[in-house]
Amino acid sequence: MPEVQRDNLQLTDFMDLPTLQEIQDSFAAVANVRAVITDAQGNLLTQPTPTRAFLRRQQAIEEAQAAEESGPQREGGEYVAPIIVNNQRLGTIRMSPRRDGAVDEAKLAPLAARLNMDVKDLKAALAPILRDRNTRPAAIQFLFLLANAIARLCFQEYQLRKRIEELTAVYNLAVMLSDARDLNRVLQRTVEMVVQVMKVKASSIRLVDAARDELVIRAVHNLSTEYLNKGPIRLSQAAIDQEALEKGYCYVADMASDPRVQYPQESAREGIVSFLSVGMRSKGKPIGVLRVYTATKQHFTQLQIDMLRAIAAQAAAAIENARLLAETIEAEALEKQVRMAVEVQQRMVPQKPPLMRGVDLASVYVPCFGLGGDLYDFIPLAGENVGLVVADVAGKGVPASLIMASVRAALRAHVDNIYYLYEVIRRVNEMLCRDTKPSEFVTLFYGVLDTVNRRLTYCNAGHPPPLLLRDGKVSELAGGNLVLGVDPSESYTQSILDLRSGDFLLLYTDGVTDAMNFQQEMFGKDRLMASLARGGGSADAVAQNILWDVRRFAGLNQRSDDLTLIVARIP
């Protein structure tokens, strides 16, 4: 029979007593002998006397046959045949001959059915007895045939139960590993169950640490602390584990003599002999190995290897799920912080323009993400003046929003103490050059509108020039300087524009002109100027018309930049 690890098995674990009694009675009737079946300790499992049910069935056969011939009583000893499964004796069939050793062919079918054998094969095995009823060796041969047939049936049942036990273990592990909330506990339980199911001495899970070139212990069962502290397992030197990661598994028959083992002496002291390493991969990437160790030299069957590989795959999936869960938790925490930052930024952005005599103001702000890199502001100043600010930070998201906040704070701090606009912008530029990277520049337009004298004083630091609608014609405001945050020694100049009644002034960011449709065409400055030229009515009506034109042009195409507008109408 096939050899696997020994278990504490009993014959009655696989066959109930009525079945054993039926087999014994059939054999006794066919071979015309006395027989009993005992367990491994010699205790009777069956009765020598056939059961009433068996006798009734035999009577129906015997009535159709001629009277049995009688012969002289044969004397002889008792013959025994062991029933062995997995190198373990489960029981014994004992036979002693009757007067007549004849075998009844008509009684073969019930016995063949019990033994799960073909009648022809059973008849061929009994041929020597059928030819010579007095041939004792033939009866003995049949006795052993019967014992082997029972052992085969038991072994099939044993193998079936083992497969069910293994599949149940894999299923239970899969359910357990699906819960990645406490991965350390789950992996520890995994190695414990592997030891229990595979009946090995110990098990461990090691994960790849590429930065340290090491396989690091993550879970272990039944290995001493002394053995675990023997030294690191370098992945670049672990030929066994490298093969397991590349080919799926690697088997070592004797750890003490295999040259690939890194710590053979420590293994011998630990009392581990054979060793099976199975690779763990996630999305094609090696993440670790699942190992099992035995106390004696043992060969692992393909079924055992396949089961361990299935467990390793489940463990790898659990580790990946745990990583994703950790990333999700981290992302949720970051998202919470971003939401708080969005709230802070929204408080920095004016909720509505100020109401002032001599000017009608409107604004539109549509960030591309929760946090935007565009800045617009209305700064109340003395003497019925108002500061108009539009800026665009290079980049998007959190970094851009932080730079935007610092620019707004610096600008508001300087306008309270400095009269000249170019000096305000120069100091903001110095701050940005000192505190940001060269790639983190800012374009900014800052103008002060004198609503009484209808005069705009402004300084443009690399920002798209504002547009002026006057008498149905649209023009750009002249004057420009270098962007902020590039050259700390840059000097800036300011310009002045006298406004008239009916003028519309448009300040915007490049998110307006860079808006694209599905044909990858940009909205552009010409469409913006045409949209402004069609404007009329209030400042808010003009701003909303421009926003509508941009959205109608882009359609459902996803925006890639923030969109900001300020419209000032001179009554």
Side-chain angles (χ1 to χ4, degrees):
M1 300 303 296
E3 294 184 4
V4 295
Q5 187 167 342
R6 290 176 60 88
D7 295 278
N8 186 21
L9 304 177
Q10 300 292 332
L11 183 57
T12 50
D13 291 339
F14 307 103
M15 286 189 173
D16 56 29
L17 292 177
T19 300
L20 291 173
Q21 186 71 47
E22 288 281 338
I23 292 174
Q24 172 204 287
D25 293 346
S26 298
F27 167 63
V30 169
N32 195 20
V33 297
R34 295 185 181 89
V36 292
I37 300 176
T38 65
D39 62 15
Q41 290 74 37
N43 301 314
L44 283 176
L45 297 176
T46 61
Q47 299 300 320
T49 304
T51 62
R52 293 181 180 180
F54 178 80
L55 290 176
R56 284 195 297 268
R57 289 195 299 271
Q58 294 305 311
Q59 184 178 2
I61 298 174
E62 292 171 356
E63 288 177 353
Q65 297 175 340
E68 295 186 7
E69 298 180 1
S70 60
Q73 173 72 33
R74 295 193 57 176
E75 299 293 331
E78 185 181 53
Y79 302 99
V80 297
I83 300 171
I84 298 175
V85 175
N86 286 343
N87 292 326
Q88 183 175 342
R89 184 167 181 163
L90 304 186
T92 305
I93 302 179
R94 299 180 179 274
M95 178 191 76
S96 57
R98 294 178 183 268
R99 297 179 182 177
D100 187 355
V103 177
D104 191 342
E105 294 185 60
K107 301 174 183 177
L108 291 179
L111 181 59
R114 282 294 180 186
L115 298 176
N116 196 24
M117 295 178 64
D118 188 87
V119 176
K120 295 180 180 180
D121 294 337
L122 183 58
K123 183 176 181 179
L126 292 171
I129 302 177
L130 296 175
R131 287 194 301 267
D132 184 359
R133 70 185 62 181
N134 297 320
T135 305
R136 180 179 298 179
I140 298 173
Q141 181 182 1
F142 180 47
L143 177 68
F144 280 91
L145 170 67
L146 178 61
N148 287 334
I150 294 175
R152 184 175 63 253
L153 292 176
C154 292
F155 185 75
Q156 291 173 353
E157 175 71 12
Y158 171 80
Q159 289 289 78
L160 178 60
R161 293 185 184 184
K162 292 291 288 185
R163 298 293 82 77
I164 293 174
E165 180 183 350
E166 291 168 357
L167 290 174
T168 301
V170 173
Y171 171 77
N172 292 336
L173 281 170
V175 173
M176 183 176 63
L177 289 168
S178 64
D179 183 6
R181 288 174 294 181
D182 188 352
L183 184 63
N184 291 332
R185 182 185 63 83
V186 170
L187 293 182
Q188 182 60 39
R189 181 59 181 146
T190 298
V191 294
E192 293 172 0
M193 290 188 67
V194 166
V195 171
Q196 178 182 352
V197 173
M198 297 192 65
K199 295 180 173 56
V200 293
K201 175 180 174 59
S203 178
S204 67
I205 291 177
R206 288 181 176 267
L207 300 186
V208 174
D209 187 336
R212 295 162 52 186
D213 183 34
E214 189 175 344
L215 287 167
V216 181
I217 280 285
R218 187 65 181 270
V220 63
H221 180 61
N222 211 26
L223 290 176
S224 67
T225 303
E226 181 182 2
Y227 179 74
L228 296 176
N229 293 334
K230 62 186 179 300
I233 302 295
R234 301 297 180 191
L235 181 59
S236 59
Q237 303 172 9
I240 298 171
D241 298 304
Q242 288 181 6
E243 182 176 339
L245 290 169
E246 293 173 3
K247 299 181 179 180
Y249 71 94
C250 184
Y251 166 70
V252 174
D254 188 353
M255 297 182 67
S257 60
D258 195 307
R260 298 174 297 175
V261 177
Q262 297 187 36
Y263 301 96
Q265 296 179 354
E266 289 78 0
S267 301
R269 284 198 298 267
E270 185 69 13
I272 50 179
V273 180
S274 294
F275 164 44
L276 178 64
S277 178
V278 172
M280 299 166 57
R281 305 180 72 90
S282 176
K283 298 179 180 179
K285 179 182 178 181
I287 63 172
V289 291
L290 172 58
R291 297 172 161 191
V292 293
Y293 310 84
T294 64
T296 58
K297 190 172 183 180
Q298 178 178 328
H299 175 73
F300 294 93
T301 66
Q302 189 61 46
L303 286 172
Q304 289 176 306
I305 294 173
D306 292 343
M307 183 186 70
L308 195 62
R309 294 182 67 179
I311 294 174
Q314 294 290 340
I319 293 170
E320 179 66 13
N321 290 340
R323 184 186 65 81
L324 294 176
L325 178 61
E327 290 180 357
T328 300
I329 294 173
E330 183 179 354
E332 290 176 350
L334 178 60
E335 183 179 357
K336 182 178 179 180
Q337 296 297 321
V338 170
R339 286 197 301 267
M340 295 174 63
V342 169
E343 294 176 1
V344 173
Q345 186 183 51
Q346 288 176 349
R347 291 197 296 269
M348 294 181 181
V349 175
Q351 300 302 308
K352 58 183 180 179
L355 296 176
M356 301 185 67
R357 290 187 305 170
V359 65
D360 177 19
L361 297 172
S363 62
V364 171
Y365 174 61
V366 184
C368 181
F369 303 106
L371 289 171
D374 279 9
L375 165 66
Y376 80 97
D377 200 3
F378 301 102
I379 305 176
L381 299 172
E384 298 190 41
N385 292 333
V386 59
L388 306 178
V389 182
V390 174
D392 188 1
V393 180
K396 301 176 183 64
V398 176
S401 68
L402 293 175
I403 295 175
M404 181 274 285
S406 65
V407 169
R408 178 182 182 275
L411 187 64
R412 279 188 167 249
H414 292 313
V415 297
D416 287 340
N417 303 311
I418 302 174
Y419 176 78
Y420 294 105
L421 275 65
Y422 59 81
E423 181 62 18
V424 171
I425 301 303
R426 187 188 70 80
R427 295 196 181 189
V428 174
N429 177 60
E430 284 184 347
M431 180 273 297
L432 281 174
C433 291
R434 180 180 65 251
D435 298 339
T436 62
K437 300 177 182 178
S439 60
E440 296 172 334
F441 60 88
V442 177
T443 67
L444 181 143
F445 175 90
Y446 173 50
V448 174
L449 178 60
D450 184 345
T451 61
V452 175
N453 298 310
R454 297 181 176 178
R455 173 173 292 181
L456 176 69
T457 305
Y458 63 91
C459 180
N460 190 347
H463 198 76
L467 300 179
L468 174 66
L469 173 61
R470 175 177 290 175
D471 300 329
K473 296 181 180 180
V474 179
S475 61
E476 294 183 345
L477 267 61
N481 300 276
L482 187 66
V483 297
L484 305 178
V486 175
D487 184 1
S489 62
E490 178 70 12
S491 298
Y492 291 85
T493 60
Q494 62 187 40
S495 303
I496 298 176
L497 172 67
D498 290 322
L499 297 170
R500 305 174 188 173
S501 178
D503 285 352
F504 283 87
L505 184 65
L506 173 63
L507 283 62
Y508 65 95
T509 61
D510 59 8
V512 178
T513 53
D514 291 349
M516 301 184 72
N517 59 17
F518 282 103
Q519 287 72 41
Q520 301 301 305
E521 298 173 331
M522 290 195 299
F523 186 72
K525 186 182 296 184
D526 291 341
R527 290 187 177 88
L528 177 60
M529 296 174 73
S531 181
L532 175 61
R534 290 192 299 270
S538 67
D540 185 65
V542 172
Q544 294 300 324
N545 286 337
I546 295 174
L547 177 62
W548 168 248
D549 287 343
V550 173
R551 286 179 168 173
R552 182 174 55 184
F553 173 81
L556 296 177
N557 194 26
Q558 186 175 3
R559 292 179 297 105
S560 59
D561 202 356
D562 304 328
L563 185 152
T564 303
L565 296 171
I566 289 181
V567 177
R569 181 182 68 87
I570 306 301

